[in-house]
Amino acid sequence: MATRITRRTFLRGVGAGAAAVHVVGAHVLGGEGKSPPSETLTLAGIGCGGRGGHDIHKIASLGQHFVALCDVDDGRAGGTYKKFPKAKTFRDFRKMLDAVDGEIDGVVVGTPDHTHTVAAMNAMKRGKHVYCEKPLAHSVWEVRQLMKAARESGVVTQLGNQGHSSEHIRLFVEWVRDGAIGEVHTVHAGCGAFKNVYCQINKLPELEKRPEVPGHLDWDLWLGPAADRPYSPVFVPWNWRGWTPFGTGCIGDWVCHVIDPTFWALDLGAPQSVKAEVEGYDPKKHHLCYPPATKITYEFPAKGERGPVTLVWYDGKNKIPRPEELGEKRRVPDTGAVVIGTKGKIMHGSHGAGGCRLIPEDAMKAYERPEKTIPRTR
């Protein structure tokens, strides 16, 4: 007979090397697409508007239980608060974690980039499992500290990158490994989305104004670990992505969605060199903003049986070069990649190699697809 245990007990048992136990499948106890009681997590949400709110709603729809919610902006979080009327609400995640420490298994972090680290680190040091929206942190140093803390605490962590669960990313990896385009040596990738968000240079004069802080927003808590500065509506609730003290620009928002398939298929690792070229940007005048256009060339060394790989990233006004094989009817995606091998090319979109195709179309039609070898998600 199956032993029914809490998810917390199960995870602790695994971490301690305890004897294995059997958990009844979701299709038996939880219903289709739901978690059974033995796998239900008790959670807290940090960041309840925008993407954070979406994550909370989705996780709850899978049968997980939120007992506490935190957001510095009552206006942005209002819809989520109404959806979960029994959950305790807070503005300061530190006070929330103090209050519900003994009740929760983990936290979901969906705040602006500059506060990911302080929220996730606080939770992990309490032994809480963490789901954090991408990008993981605001700097490489912060990423390394979070990785170190995760290893030391032994908690389960996951970074939000929904495309990694898609069918297309698995197809792409299988095709590359099958040799569909030969040995990959060059990748052209980029993003053309939200140009007016990721470059805020034209909004710099607005910072001279001193409007009142809205009553629904705690500006000091929103700033968190960032340097103190006056409130401005050009920062919140959306455009913080294009300001260097808070966001990580187009690269931080989109590289994971576009480059993930190539990293998986080729096991790229770290580059040996990086060359960044920008347009219309003065680092002294515009240091608070990101450039209107970038072209970044990464050189990856040979690894295992594959040779070196050049990856070029384009954003803003810069576009992915159009492959001559496309013809006139098909266009290069504004956000996506063209992957070039010794025997052909694959073109795909964002979020897990969406719509991946061999080009030209005749090559796609003639290709005998390999057997599916990568496990699929349900």
Side-chain angles (χ1 to χ4, degrees):
M1 183 174 65
T3 302
R4 292 177 64 183
I5 59 174
T6 65
R7 182 75 169 183
R8 180 187 306 166
T9 304
F10 175 72
L11 291 168
R12 284 178 179 170
V14 172
V21 294
H22 177 67
V23 180
V24 177
H27 66 285
V28 176
L29 294 177
E32 189 64 31
K34 300 287 186 179
S35 296
S38 58
E39 291 188 353
T40 299
L41 292 166
T42 303
L43 304 169
I46 303 176
C48 302
R51 188 68 206 174
H54 178 276
D55 290 340
I56 291 168
H57 284 78
K58 182 62 178 179
I59 292 169
S61 74
L62 298 174
Q64 309 307 322
H65 183 47
F66 282 88
V67 297
L69 300 171
C70 177
D71 201 294
V72 301
D73 189 333
D74 294 336
R76 294 277 288 172
T80 302
Y81 289 169
K82 290 180 181 178
K83 181 73 174 181
F84 301 93
K86 294 182 179 180
K88 301 172 185 176
T89 59
F90 300 81
R91 274 191 166 183
D92 189 328
F93 72 82
R94 298 166 298 183
K95 293 181 179 179
M96 178 184 72
L97 293 177
D98 284 342
V100 300
D101 195 328
E103 302 176 43
I104 62 172
D105 302 302
V107 301
V108 177
V109 179
T111 61
D113 300 352
H114 71 291
T115 50
H116 284 185
T117 296
V118 291
M121 184 70 79
N122 194 309
M124 286 193 291
K125 286 188 174 181
R126 297 169 184 263
K128 308 305 177 186
H129 311 296
V130 175
Y131 176 95
C132 184
E133 262 302 330
K134 60 82 194 170
L136 178 58
H138 195 236
S139 71
V140 173
W141 183 86
E142 288 181 346
V143 169
R144 290 171 177 162
Q145 302 313 302
L146 286 174
M147 292 174 66
K148 181 175 182 288
R151 288 192 296 267
E152 292 175 348
S153 63
V155 297
V156 176
T157 61
Q158 186 176 15
L159 181 67
N161 187 6
Q162 60 269 43
H164 198 77
S165 299
S166 73
E167 171 69 9
H168 276 127
I169 194 172
R170 284 155 174 74
L171 290 176
F172 173 85
V173 173
E174 288 165 347
W175 295 357
V176 170
R177 291 177 177 174
D178 184 52
I181 58 173
E183 184 172 345
V184 175
H185 53 79
T186 305
V187 179
H188 293 287
C191 174
F194 307 126
K195 298 182 185 69
N196 294 330
V197 172
Y198 295 122
C199 180
Q200 294 286 312
I201 290 175
N202 65 334
K203 298 287 183 64
L204 281 169
E206 296 293 313
L207 299 183
E208 300 299 321
K209 300 177 181 179
R210 295 290 182 268
E212 292 289 328
V213 179
H216 55 79
L217 173 68
D218 188 316
W219 176 241
D220 183 62
L221 287 176
W222 189 93
L223 282 173
D228 187 31
R229 66 185 70 243
Y231 162 78
S232 174
V234 301
F235 296 142
V236 292
W238 171 257
N239 288 344
W240 54 264
R241 292 165 171 81
W243 297 94
T244 56
F246 312 122
T248 49
C250 185
I251 294 175
D253 265 6
W254 286 94
V255 158
C256 67
H257 292 315
V258 177
I259 303 302
D260 184 26
T262 295
F263 263 76
W264 187 358
L266 302 179
D267 189 21
L268 287 182
Q272 63 185 6
S273 69
V274 180
K275 177 183 178 183
E277 302 170 76
V278 301
E279 297 179 20
Y281 188 77
D282 183 331
K284 291 184 178 180
K285 294 180 180 180
H286 306 145
H287 66 279
L288 292 176
C289 307
Y290 289 97
T294 65
K295 176 184 177 183
I296 306 175
T297 303
Y298 302 85
E299 299 290 351
F300 295 89
K303 187 176 184 180
E305 297 182 356
R306 68 158 174 79
V309 176
T310 298
L311 189 155
V312 187
W313 173 264
Y314 308 83
D315 65 34
K317 298 176 182 178
N318 289 329
K319 301 287 187 180
I320 301 170
R322 179 181 179 82
E324 59 184 19
E325 296 91 339
L326 273 186
E328 297 181 359
K329 294 184 179 181
R330 192 175 290 273
R331 66 181 184 87
V332 180
D334 285 339
T335 303
V338 175
V339 182
I340 305 171
T342 54
K343 297 180 181 179
K345 300 177 183 179
I346 296 176
M347 188 172 70
H348 65 73
S350 183
H351 290 67
C356 62
R357 307 283 293 178
L358 272 70
I359 55 175
E361 192 63 25
D362 289 345
M364 186 73 254
K365 292 178 180 178
Y367 180 52
E368 295 184 13
R369 303 188 184 192
E371 181 181 346
K372 295 181 179 181
T373 55
I374 301 174
R376 265 52 182 176
T377 58
R378 65 183 176 94

